[in-house]
Amino acid sequence: AQTVTQSQPEMSVQEAETVTLSCTYDTSESDYYLFWYKQPPSRQMILVIRQEAYKQQNATENRFSVNFQKAAKSFSLKISDSQLGDAAMYFCAYRGGTYKYIFGTGTRLKVLA
Amino acid sequence: EAGVVQSPRYKIIEKKQPVAFWCNPISGHNTLYWYRQNLGQGPELLIRYENEEAVDDSQLPKDRFSAERLKGVDSTLKIQPAELGDSAVYLCASSLVEGWLNEQFFGPGTRLTVL
């Protein structure tokens, strides 16, 4: 069975600084997607960034980028130039061939002014 | 374009009472997911529909939970009777399956409190 582990329950970052959130996963599948979702206090989850496992190039979306290490089964999220609006819960998620999503336990990100 | 709509947003009931949650997915999305999110945890899949068919309900506690998706659009999730441990946020998500691309869009959730 696939598992997703987020070992950082909470992280803090100063506004305008850079922070990296960690995620590791376990799978025996070769084709899969990895995602980072953001859940602000209002609770609605939104997709931040997605990575296809067959792509070696790390995904980037504006200030958000990932470091995808397939052999190490690691998928970290880097947020550059952190903003107050980035404060939220961040969930790492895995989706394999069954279209079933498996989420980690989340990392609460605090942005300090 | 309207997003995923869920109602009610909040529900407080006493244990052993029934409760139902409703979800209206994004128009045209053929896949619908119900998740349960306990406090401080990530969402856990309860059931996934492709059109009207429940293709993955392995995590649904079938003794007290039931779900339906009539006509492959709206969906209802029911709990009868509710237990204290059912207090959680129930999230609905939908997606349009096109090959491997399967981005989920989430609703705001229903926060259930069982007293």
Side-chain angles (χ1 to χ4, degrees):
Chain A
Q2 296 85 13
T3 58
V4 175
T5 302
Q6 292 180 251
S7 59
Q8 306 157 315
E10 189 172 294
M11 294 283 285
S12 296
V13 62
Q14 287 289 141
E15 200 175 1
E17 296 295 306
T18 296
V19 64
T20 298
L21 308 184
S22 301
C23 173
T24 59
Y25 60 95
D26 190 27
T27 184
S28 58
E29 296 179 303
S30 57
D31 291 328
Y32 50 87
Y33 279 91
L34 295 164
F35 305 83
W36 278 99
Y37 281 89
K38 172 184 177 181
Q39 189 176 41
S42 65
R43 288 208 310 277
Q44 192 145 6
M45 300 257 283
I46 57 174
L47 178 66
V48 174
I49 197 165
R50 157 177 74 210
Q51 175 78 43
E52 295 91 333
Y54 63 87
K55 289 187 177 180
Q56 293 186 338
Q57 186 174 5
N58 289 323
T60 299
E61 289 287 343
N62 300 315
R63 296 183 296 107
F64 298 87
S65 62
V66 299
N67 183 4
F68 174 49
Q69 302 289 328
K70 190 172 184 179
K73 295 180 181 174
S74 171
F75 182 62
S76 60
L77 174 69
K78 185 171 82 171
I79 306 174
S80 304
D81 186 24
S82 296
Q83 302 174 359
L84 294 176
D86 294 334
M89 284 289 289
Y90 285 82
F91 292 96
C92 178
Y94 169 100
R95 201 212 80 200
T98 62
Y99 292 102
K100 178 176 179 178
Y101 283 74
I102 298 170
F103 289 81
T105 52
T107 297
R108 180 176 301 281
L109 179 65
K110 295 184 176 181
V111 181
L112 308 173
Chain B
E1 178 182 293
V4 177
V5 178
Q6 290 188 249
S7 68
R9 292 293 308 276
Y10 304 89
K11 189 73 176 179
I12 301 173
I13 61 171
E14 303 221 334
K15 63 181 180 182
K16 300 184 181 180
Q17 294 297 307
V19 64
F21 314 123
W22 176 78
C23 173
N24 181 238
I26 291 174
S27 178
H29 280 193
N30 58 337
T31 302
L32 185 145
Y33 304 76
W34 281 106
Y35 290 91
R36 176 168 59 191
Q37 185 177 19
N38 292 314
L39 187 65
Q41 300 294 315
E44 294 178 323
L45 180 70
L46 291 174
I47 190 167
R48 176 170 71 89
Y49 283 93
E50 286 186 11
N51 300 306
E52 301 90 355
E53 183 182 0
V55 296
D56 184 353
D57 63 355
S58 57
Q59 301 289 92
L60 190 72
K62 297 181 182 65
D63 56 335
R64 296 184 300 106
F65 285 64
S66 64
E68 62 181 9
R69 189 182 185 198
L70 300 177
K71 299 181 181 179
V73 183
D74 295 4
S75 178
T76 302
L77 178 68
K78 297 179 181 178
I79 308 174
Q80 184 171 10
E83 297 179 352
L84 295 177
D86 295 331
S87 294
V89 174
Y90 291 84
L91 295 169
C92 179
S94 70
S95 68
L96 180 63
V97 176
E98 294 177 340
W100 269 85
L101 184 60
N102 174 241
E103 180 178 343
Q104 287 186 112
F105 294 84
F106 284 84
T110 296
R111 181 180 295 278
L112 174 67
T113 302
V114 182
L115 303 175

